[in-house]
Amino acid sequence: MTSAILGAGTPIGAGPGALTIGVEEEFLLLDPDTGANRPVAGEVVAALPDGMRAQGRLEVRRSMVEMVTGVCTELPDLRSQLVSLRRAAAGAADDLGVRLVALGATPVGESDPSVPDQPRYRAIADRFGPVAGDPAVCGLHVHVGIPDRELAVQVSNHLQVWLPVIRALTGNSPLFNGADTGHASWRSVQLLRWPGVAPTPWFDSAADYDRTVADLVVSGVLLDPAMVYWYARLSPTYPTVEIRVNDVCTDVDDTVLAAALVRAAVATALTDIAAGRPAARVRDCVLAGAHWRAARDGLTHTLIDLRLGQARPAWDLVNEFFATVSPALLHTGDLDLVVNGLARLRERGDGATRQRETYRRTGHLRAVLDDVAARTTQG
């Protein structure tokens, strides 16, 4: 995460158009012949163009790189940055004989489980053992600027009921060990081995949030506050709420759609807070179940309506989510983009559906990876 995603955010009296946004995308580095992960992330980051090297990041797996946008207020600017960063990273990877792909989970295998040679990553490997050697998974993290931490905690409470829907819109990791897992987002399931990954708990205040994080660090559950990987968290460094439920999207337009919806959900939460409307409280086990259902089926079956406590057709719930956030989308001028993006998803399916269709049509995993690699850098 760079200091570029510091966005000043907006006080509660300002319009949602003032909300800043920044995106982090994680990518896999694959062998172009076998599809297996290749541990060359350090070399890829070093090979980035001078103007973009500072926006490249290493992760706990040496077969993945993260690219980070700057602060944006307009989605066309965000999209332009995303395309440029993807193409730069793909070019650096290609020069090293590897393929950069936007996939949520390792499709074939991870032959080298070693972590980058940095003190924090070595400490993570020592603390968490084989979990730190799990095959790489790649997410899309959306930051929305909210400098008031008390307000940010309230926003996180309000987002709880909609985050499974946001997760379902970006399922893009059906493959693992060369086979279909039956899940739209295997990444979501795989990450649950980490103790810091979970639906965001309900907090009464920023002090309550900070005490909980401190307790988890003192107990040894987490190495440091940065290992809080709740689905919506207060950034430990920057004045943002960070939404972490999404798989990285193969198509850049799906990334922009997810970012638009996340920002609109945050803006809608701010409106509800200002109006004194309370957030719905959901039992932790029900919340976890709703996220599992979203990871399992994506948009193809049902999602759990956490307001009603019942399963409903996925697209019915997506439509209600859209209706809820549409005033915020209208305010920022993003309504048409989201309408068109949701229509595209309804017609073509999520990333997992598209991967399965390619596999059914060709019968070859290589064809799936070829298609994903090509679409990763399309503008």
Side-chain angles (χ1 to χ4, degrees):
M1 179 83 195
T2 79
S3 58
I5 304 183
L6 277 176
T10 178
I12 197 166
L19 290 172
T20 56
I21 192 168
V23 166
E24 301 164 342
E25 290 189 299
E26 297 168 335
F27 302 99
L28 290 175
L29 301 168
L30 304 184
D31 186 291
D33 296 320
T34 67
N37 292 17
R38 290 279 301 276
V40 293
E43 294 91 328
V44 169
V45 171
L48 289 169
D50 291 342
M52 292 186 178
R53 194 169 302 124
Q55 292 171 273
R57 293 287 184 272
L58 300 179
E59 288 292 336
V60 70
R61 292 267 57 79
R62 294 173 60 226
S63 57
M64 59 188 291
V65 297
E66 180 180 74
M67 302 300 293
V68 181
T69 73
V71 173
C72 301
T73 55
E74 303 295 330
L75 294 184
D77 178 33
L78 178 68
R79 187 184 190 281
S80 176
Q81 290 191 40
L82 290 167
V83 171
S84 296
L85 290 168
R86 285 174 172 227
R87 289 178 175 173
D94 186 63
D95 288 344
L96 290 162
V98 298
R99 172 180 281 175
L100 182 113
V101 298
L103 281 176
T106 293
V108 175
E110 182 96 55
S111 60
D112 184 344
S114 62
V115 300
D117 189 19
Q118 296 181 4
R120 185 169 185 272
Y121 289 129
R122 291 196 299 269
I124 289 173
D126 290 343
R127 177 75 59 87
F128 298 101
V131 175
D134 281 350
V137 293
C138 295
L140 158 66
H141 305 153
V142 181
H143 290 253
V144 182
I146 301 181
D148 185 323
R149 285 173 57 81
E150 295 292 343
L151 191 56
V153 166
Q154 294 182 59
V155 166
S156 296
N157 290 340
H158 278 259
L159 292 177
Q160 280 188 339
V161 298
W162 293 121
L163 289 183
V165 180
I166 293 171
R167 182 190 294 279
L169 289 164
T170 59
N172 194 37
S173 51
L175 303 175
F176 182 69
N177 282 340
D180 191 334
T181 64
H183 290 70
S185 175
W186 185 247
R187 163 187 166 271
S188 299
V189 177
Q190 189 172 322
L191 278 173
L192 290 175
R193 284 163 56 88
W194 289 91
V197 176
T200 310
W202 179 283
F203 293 107
D204 293 325
S205 64
D208 185 23
Y209 183 102
D210 292 339
R211 281 194 300 269
T212 302
V213 173
D215 287 345
L216 290 170
V217 173
V218 169
S219 69
V221 174
L222 305 180
L223 191 70
D224 52 42
M227 290 200 73
V228 169
Y229 299 138
W230 295 324
Y231 299 151
R233 70 173 184 176
L234 278 60
S235 169
T237 310
Y238 305 107
T240 65
V241 170
E242 179 186 4
I243 308 305
R244 302 177 57 87
V245 295
N246 302 300
D247 285 3
V248 68
C249 299
T250 296
D251 296 83
V252 72
D253 286 326
D254 290 347
T255 298
V256 177
L257 172 64
L261 287 168
V262 165
R263 179 167 68 171
V266 171
T268 301
L270 290 172
T271 299
D272 288 341
I273 293 164
R277 289 188 284 270
R281 296 198 66 160
V282 183
R283 288 183 180 273
D284 291 344
C285 56
V286 176
L287 193 58
H291 277 282
W292 177 83
R293 172 57 67 184
R296 175 63 172 78
D297 290 340
L299 299 172
T300 63
H301 189 44
T302 61
L303 295 171
I304 305 301
D305 187 335
L306 290 169
R307 302 163 303 171
L308 303 177
Q310 63 186 43
R312 300 180 58 199
W315 275 102
D316 285 359
L317 203 50
V318 170
N319 290 339
E320 287 192 20
F321 172 52
F322 168 73
T324 299
V325 303
S326 59
L329 293 168
L330 184 64
H331 186 95
T332 54
D334 299 333
L335 187 65
D336 288 344
L337 181 148
V338 170
V339 167
N340 293 333
L342 291 175
R344 183 179 66 250
L345 278 183
R346 186 187 288 270
E347 178 184 355
R348 299 188 313 182
D350 56 23
T353 298
R354 280 172 258 168
Q355 290 180 51
R356 288 171 173 142
E357 288 176 349
T358 301
Y359 189 75
R360 282 196 295 267
R361 186 177 68 253
T362 65
H364 297 290
L365 181 61
R366 172 70 178 268
V368 176
L369 301 181
D370 288 346
D371 177 66
V372 170
R375 289 192 289 117
T376 294
T377 55
Q378 285 178 355

